[in-house]
């Protein structure tokens, strides 16, 4: 029986997690544990939609698992596992590939962004990435998915796929999953270009703050972050058309757990050079304990692997009966 409130969310092991992943997703994941049954996945099947070095992928899978635990996700209460170890994801994705419409996938902006000019040479996996994401969520009949703003369109596709499956087979089987997008940092932007989101795959490391960055590096990156020449405004609505200023103030707000208006009220009229010092102190104070805990956890790789194994077993136990019912609905014979 599906719990009334079940969360699924995932993060790719494509490199170091950054402040956007933390404030837009992972910190919220930790907080949601109080009210939901939570399943958190290191989505390695998604990671290989772009070329990956196998060694680096393994290391990154463990690092991401360690960051989830270090950020406050309790692996005994919540489930933490890596996607490739539960076969229901790939199996359900195939069934959904036969439900999703090409027109829907053609509208996905993330594919356009990631494929860029190389559309013809992009992998088919990158194209059907959102279908796999729908399978991740619906393999557990998750009712809610906490994500950053960038994943909203994929969540809408998940709802379309669930509805289309239900209609095609005349069932009321899959829930219409709700996105949970909240906080002051639903879209943390690139430190060098306030119109682009902070991303693991950006070539320049100075565009993001990684959860593994040492305090000096965090301070340096914030000092070098792009801003405009104006001082901080007294109210957040005056940040319109000031993307870099808005981003730094949003980061401060999220780290301090207050809203942008409160940050503007506190620093009204200050120059960004001074504000950046305060922001760096706050970022270091909030992130350093997580970094230290991550390092401690990564010293014992066998513990991380045991967490992932246990998580995969528990995830498999939830997904297997759901997949079996889907197979029955579709008409697959279980001889
Ligand atoms: N800049 C961001 N601001 C707020 N939330 C963000 N998320 C990612 N970037 C930001 C949220 O983090 C979760 C995990 O994301 P992901 O790593 O699986 O995928 P992504 O969105 O593709 O992240 P990146 O950093 O941009 O990775 P690459 O560069 O490898 O593609 C999601 O909930 C996402 O919303």
């Amino acid at each position: 029986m599906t719990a009334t409130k079940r969360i699924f969310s995932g993060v790719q092991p494509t490199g170091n997690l950054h402040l956007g992943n933390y404030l837009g997703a992972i910190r919220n994941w930790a907080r949601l544990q109080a009210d939901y049954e939570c399943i958190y996945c290191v989505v390695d099947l998604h990671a290989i939609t772009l070329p990956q070095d196998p060694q680096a992928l393994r290391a990154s899978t463990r690092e991401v698992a360690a960051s989830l635990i270090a950020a406050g996700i309790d692996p005994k209460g919540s489930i933490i596992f890596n996607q490739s170890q539960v076969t229901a994801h790939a199996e359900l994705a195939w069934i959904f590939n036969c439900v999703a419409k090409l027109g829907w996938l053609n509208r996905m902006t993330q594919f356009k962004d990631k494929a860029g000019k190389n559309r013809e040479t992009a992998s088919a996996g990158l194209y059907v990435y959102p279908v796999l994401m729908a399978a991740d969520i619906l393999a557990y009949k998750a009712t809610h998915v906490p994500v950053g703003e960038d994943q909203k369109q994929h969540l809408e596709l998940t709802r379309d796929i669930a509805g289309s499956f239900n209609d095609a087979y005349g069932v009321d089987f899959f829930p219409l999953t709700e996105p949970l997008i909240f906080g002051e940092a639903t879209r943390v932007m690139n430190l060098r270009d306030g119109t682009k989101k902070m991303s693991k795959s950006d070539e320049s490391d100075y565009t993001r703050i990684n959860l593994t960055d040492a305090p000096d590096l965090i301070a340096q990156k914030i000092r070098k972050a792009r801003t405009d020449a104006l001082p901080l405004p007294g109210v957040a609505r005056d940040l319109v058309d000031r993307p870099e200023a808005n981003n730094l103030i949003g980061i401060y707000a999220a780290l301090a757990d207050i809203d942008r208006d409160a940050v503007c009220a506190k620093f009204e009229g200050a120059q960004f050079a001074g504000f950046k010092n305060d922001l760096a102190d706050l970022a270091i104070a909030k992130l350093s304990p997580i970094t230290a805990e991550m390092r401690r956890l990564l010293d014992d790789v066998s513990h991380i692997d045991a967490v992932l194994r246990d998580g995969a077993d528990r995830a498999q136990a939830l997904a297997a009966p759901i997949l079996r019912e889907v197979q029955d609905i579709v008409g697959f014979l279980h001889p």
Side-chain angles (χ1 to χ4, degrees):
M1 173 90 185
T2 303
T4 42
K5 294 205 298 179
R6 178 178 284 173
I7 292 240
F8 177 95
S9 205
V11 59
Q12 296 190 76
T14 41
N16 286 326
L17 295 193
H18 54 71
L19 193 62
N21 298 132
Y22 177 64
L23 293 176
I26 291 157
R27 186 176 70 163
N28 295 339
W29 297 3
R31 292 176 175 184
L32 289 163
Q33 293 177 109
D35 298 315
Y36 294 82
E37 177 189 9
C38 296
I39 306 166
Y40 296 130
C41 186
V42 185
V43 290
D44 48 8
L45 296 177
H46 282 280
I48 62 163
T49 56
L50 292 173
Q52 299 297 328
D53 169 58
Q55 259 322 73
L57 183 62
R58 271 187 287 274
S60 191
T61 299
R62 289 185 175 122
E63 267 174 33
V64 170
S67 355
L68 300 187
I69 302 168
I73 295 169
D74 167 19
K76 292 210 170 66
S78 300
I79 293 178
I80 300 178
F81 72 109
N82 58 318
Q83 188 185 22
S84 58
Q85 301 310 297
V86 177
T87 55
H89 294 250
E91 292 177 64
L92 190 57
W94 178 254
I95 294 172
F96 286 167
N97 274 330
C98 302
V99 171
K101 309 288 181 276
L102 283 183
W104 298 350
L105 294 178
N106 286 338
R107 284 194 285 276
M108 295 296 115
T109 54
Q110 181 172 293
F111 175 76
K112 290 178 196 162
D113 291 345
K114 292 207 168 176
K117 294 192 194 87
N118 307 320
R119 200 184 152 89
E120 291 300 310
T121 53
S123 71
L126 188 64
Y127 189 67
V128 294
Y129 180 114
V131 179
L132 177 58
M133 184 165 155
D136 299 337
I137 296 162
L138 295 171
Y140 304 94
K141 290 190 171 183
T143 53
H144 297 81
V145 179
V147 281
E149 194 76 48
D150 59 319
Q151 293 298 328
K152 206 169 156 196
Q153 193 186 37
H154 287 168
L155 249 293
E156 278 157 18
L157 187 86
T158 298
R159 291 164 63 90
D160 287 342
I161 289 176
S164 188
F165 179 93
N166 289 346
D167 287 348
Y169 291 101
V171 292
D172 182 16
F173 187 73
F174 285 119
L176 298 185
T177 308
E178 297 287 340
L180 291 175
I181 300 175
F182 57 91
E184 284 290 325
T186 55
R187 193 169 171 82
V188 176
M189 308 309 277
N190 179 308
L191 295 179
R192 292 305 180 87
D193 177 352
T195 62
K196 282 164 60 181
K197 78 162 189 157
M198 188 177 282
S199 172
K200 293 187 217 89
S201 52
D202 197 290
E203 275 172 24
S204 164
D205 194 51
Y206 275 80
T207 61
R208 62 183 162 259
I209 293 172
N210 303 305
L211 293 190
T212 48
D213 285 348
D216 284 355
L217 187 56
I218 293 177
Q220 204 184 356
K221 286 178 175 180
I222 291 176
R223 263 200 312 277
K224 285 181 181 262
R226 188 164 158 191
T227 39
D228 52 44
L230 299 173
L232 272 83
V235 283
R237 68 170 176 277
D238 290 344
L239 289 165
V240 175
D241 298 329
R242 297 180 64 188
E244 284 86 13
N246 188 32
N247 188 37
L248 294 185
I249 290 172
I251 291 173
Y252 188 104
L255 287 169
D257 258 323
I258 54 179
D259 63 22
R260 281 174 163 75
D261 273 321
V263 181
C264 291
K266 184 171 157 117
F267 291 97
E268 181 173 8
Q271 293 300 321
F272 266 92
F275 172 75
K276 283 176 172 178
N277 290 335
D278 284 61
L279 177 58
D281 289 347
L282 180 63
I284 291 164
K286 295 285 178 179
L287 299 182
S288 293
I290 299 174
T291 311
E293 179 61 3
M294 257 180 82
R295 295 231 164 84
R296 193 189 68 75
L297 287 163
L298 285 167
D299 277 345
D300 183 2
V301 167
S302 63
H303 171 67
I304 302 283
D305 289 356
V307 165
L308 290 171
R309 232 180 355 258
D310 173 64
D313 289 345
R314 287 156 64 206
Q316 171 70 21
L318 294 176
I322 294 174
L323 182 66
R324 171 104 189 179
E325 272 192 82
V326 173
Q327 291 174 340
D328 286 340
I329 291 169
V330 168
F332 293 162
L333 187 67
H334 297 287

